Amino acid sequence: MHVSGFVDYLNPTIQDLLGPCDIITIQRNVVSEDVLNAIRYWQGMGKSVAVDLDDAYHILPLSNPAHRYWIEHPNVKEQEKLPLVVLERGLRLCNALTSPNRLILKDWAHVTRGYHLPNFAREEWWTNLPTREEMKAKLGLTGRIV
């Protein structure tokens, strides 16, 4: 579900979707007080809430366009409202951090418990695939650079 649904936690549809869950996982979007309030609500309802990160937002170099959003957000005047600062507060609030990257878990170990969850594609998605030439022929692209 999109984060806009998650923060609308009193909505009956959202209640129906998340109510039966034991664990709720939020992918990276722990960037506002609304999200932190939703986390608190669901934890109050007995749910465990985990944050999943697959990028190291806290060490993005200046050359990465996302650095400006996470670390120096131009529209955020108060330091405590910067997305990276709110993310850290959210990690402290949550029950756990999950990541396919062990270094990210290590980087945030001082903030919350971390669990390694590999994100491999299912084997049937990448085995017995047609060759590049077979696919190009099927698409009418034989002899062309794709």
Side-chain angles (χ1 to χ4, degrees):
M1 117 181 8
H2 188 269
V3 70
S4 61
F6 181 70
V7 299
D8 190 18
Y9 50 87
L10 296 179
N11 180 311
T13 302
I14 304 305
Q15 288 284 319
D16 288 346
L17 288 170
L18 296 183
C21 296
D22 294 312
I23 301 171
I24 299 170
T25 302
I26 305 167
Q27 172 66 32
R28 126 185 107 253
N29 285 305
V30 182
V31 295
S32 73
E33 279 301 317
D34 290 340
V35 174
L36 298 183
N37 288 334
I39 291 169
R40 289 181 192 102
Y41 172 82
W42 288 112
Q43 286 175 325
M45 297 300 289
K47 313 297 180 193
S48 291
V49 180
V51 174
D52 185 72
L53 297 178
D54 58 3
D55 291 301
Y57 303 109
H58 59 294
I59 57 172
L60 290 172
L62 285 168
S63 59
N64 186 311
H67 174 92
R68 187 173 160 108
Y69 173 81
W70 284 98
I71 299 170
E72 302 174 10
H73 199 294
N75 298 326
V76 177
K77 305 300 181 220
E78 301 169 51
Q79 179 73 21
E80 70 273 3
K81 292 186 179 178
L82 283 170
L84 187 61
V85 174
V86 178
L87 173 63
E88 183 168 338
R89 283 202 326 263
L91 288 171
R92 287 186 191 285
L93 177 64
C94 283
N95 302 94
L97 166 65
T98 61
S99 181
N101 184 310
R102 293 180 198 275
L103 292 175
I104 290 173
L105 297 173
K106 189 175 180 181
D107 287 349
W108 291 107
H110 68 287
V111 175
T112 191
R113 288 179 294 178
Y115 298 92
H116 181 244
L117 290 179
N119 60 357
F120 314 131
R122 291 183 2 208
E123 186 175 355
E124 62 266 21
W125 294 349
W126 56 271
T127 55
N128 301 318
L129 295 175
T131 67
R132 190 175 308 174
E133 290 73 28
E134 290 169 337
M135 282 303 295
K136 287 170 88 172
K138 181 179 177 181
L139 296 171
L141 300 171
T142 301
R144 295 184 58 193
I145 296 173
V146 178

